[in-house]
Amino acid sequence: MTFSFDLAGKTALVTGANTGLGQGIAVALAQAGASIVAVGRSSMDETERLCREAGAAFHSVQADLSSLEPIERIVAEAVTLTGRIGILVNNAGIIRRADAIDFTEKDWDDVMNVNLKSTFFLSQAVARTMIADEQGGKIINIASLLSFQGGIRIPSYTASKSGLAGLTRLLACEWAAKGINVNAIAPGYFVTNNTEALRSDPKRSSEILGRIPAGRWGNPSDLGGAAVFLASPAANYIHGIVLPVDGGWLAR
Ligand code: NAD
């Protein structure tokens, strides 16, 4: 075997790791051997317990990613705590639902700030450290099916996630030669807070389920394999992809 999925000795910084997909990803990276720095604005206690049960070192950094204010502090704290960041997972994200005709500037700006602007500038700050010590690393953006499709009633979310797919490709092109792999995962429909409104609407819920070839919604642990793969040496020659993990939704 000339490739490895082992993340021992690496530190993964995961944003929005207190719940949902971020928690699932943090636990999977921990199980593959990474130390975890969980970044977010809520208690990380549950994620800490799960990562420690997997045998991983765990730290948390409290930060609100709705502005750029905490970015430098996040990176400085993570480097102080662990030595270096080898893996960055840009998972924190929000969604606002309203018809495009009624959509407000606030719902546009709030979503773009977290999903796209903070993601870019945190990636920039982490990449500077990866480039400075010439050891490179992995950046994984959590995109969406709305990176490929239009959707309805989520204009800023679709714009942010379509933008994130483009940004993933641009950063891959600029940083590949610097030893940084920038890729994205596009989750399908997963059981998290993000999809609560859809799941509690019987019509939307059954329409969505009826289109998923796998016949079920995803669980956060379903993303783990893709995250570990893209974070690992096995993905060293993979740059700029948006990998759907969607139960076959896009194949339909
Ligand atoms: P979630 O609402 O459970 O989790 C979102 C996470 O982002 C939480 O940890 C939250 O605290 C964090 N976050 C939001 N705003 C923040 C801020 N200002 N500062 C710091 N952290 C902040 O939903 P989720 O489904 O787990 O979402 C995780 C990511 O996956 C998001 O980027 C979302 O767009 C994406 N996604 C989810 C689905 C799905 O079906 N659930 C599908 C495609 C993409």
Side-chain angles (χ1 to χ4, degrees):
M1 296 249 292
T2 57
F3 57 87
S4 163
F5 301 103
D6 184 12
L7 303 181
K10 306 265 195 270
T11 294
L13 192 154
V14 184
T15 66
N18 59 303
T19 183
L21 303 187
Q23 182 180 75
I25 290 167
V27 171
L29 298 177
Q31 287 169 341
S35 300
I36 304 300
V37 177
V39 177
R41 41 177 196 174
S42 318
S43 164
M44 298 289 173
D45 290 354
E46 189 180 52
T47 307
E48 173 165 11
R49 180 177 57 76
L50 295 169
C51 290
R52 289 200 189 278
E53 279 172 12
F58 183 93
H59 307 277
S60 63
V61 175
Q62 286 295 310
D64 182 345
L65 289 164
S66 61
S67 82
L68 303 186
E69 180 273 326
I71 300 274
E72 294 300 330
R73 177 177 58 82
I74 292 167
V75 176
E77 277 188 41
V79 170
T80 303
L81 288 165
T82 67
R84 92 180 289 273
I85 303 162
I87 301 156
L88 167 65
V89 181
N90 287 306
N91 166 78
I94 58 173
I95 192 164
R96 297 279 166 78
R97 298 177 195 277
D99 292 341
I101 206 78
D102 298 322
F103 211 74
T104 65
E105 184 178 3
K106 179 167 169 42
D107 282 345
W108 180 271
D109 288 343
D110 288 354
V111 170
M112 296 300 267
N113 283 343
V114 178
N115 294 13
L116 200 51
K117 188 172 179 182
S118 290
T119 293
F120 171 70
F121 284 100
L122 182 60
S123 301
Q124 180 193 63
V126 170
R128 284 176 175 160
T129 68
M130 292 172 167
I131 291 167
D133 68 9
E134 298 182 355
Q135 291 184 57
K138 312 280 191 219
I139 297 177
I140 302 168
N141 295 323
I142 302 306
S144 166
L145 296 178
L146 287 315
S147 300
F148 303 101
Q149 301 181 308
I152 52 168
R153 308 193 71 247
I154 45 174
S156 57
Y157 188 79
T158 297
S160 72
K161 295 297 185 178
S162 296
L164 189 55
L167 187 62
T168 299
R169 291 187 281 268
L170 174 135
L171 296 178
C173 293
E174 289 206 18
W175 296 343
K178 315 240 179 237
I180 301 174
N181 300 76
V182 186
N183 291 293
I185 296 170
Y189 286 88
F190 279 67
V191 178
T192 69
N193 301 328
N194 176 289
T195 54
E196 201 172 341
L198 293 180
R199 285 178 289 111
S200 56
D201 176 338
K203 183 166 174 291
R204 287 285 281 134
S205 177
S206 73
E207 279 169 5
I208 288 167
L209 189 57
R211 221 209 107 141
I212 302 174
R216 66 175 177 85
W217 289 62
N219 294 307
S221 61
D222 287 316
L223 275 192
V228 169
F229 168 54
L230 290 176
S232 75
N236 277 352
Y237 199 58
I238 297 179
H239 296 277
I241 67 161
V242 183
L243 175 62
V245 179
D246 64 354
W249 175 280
L250 287 176
R252 189 94 177 215

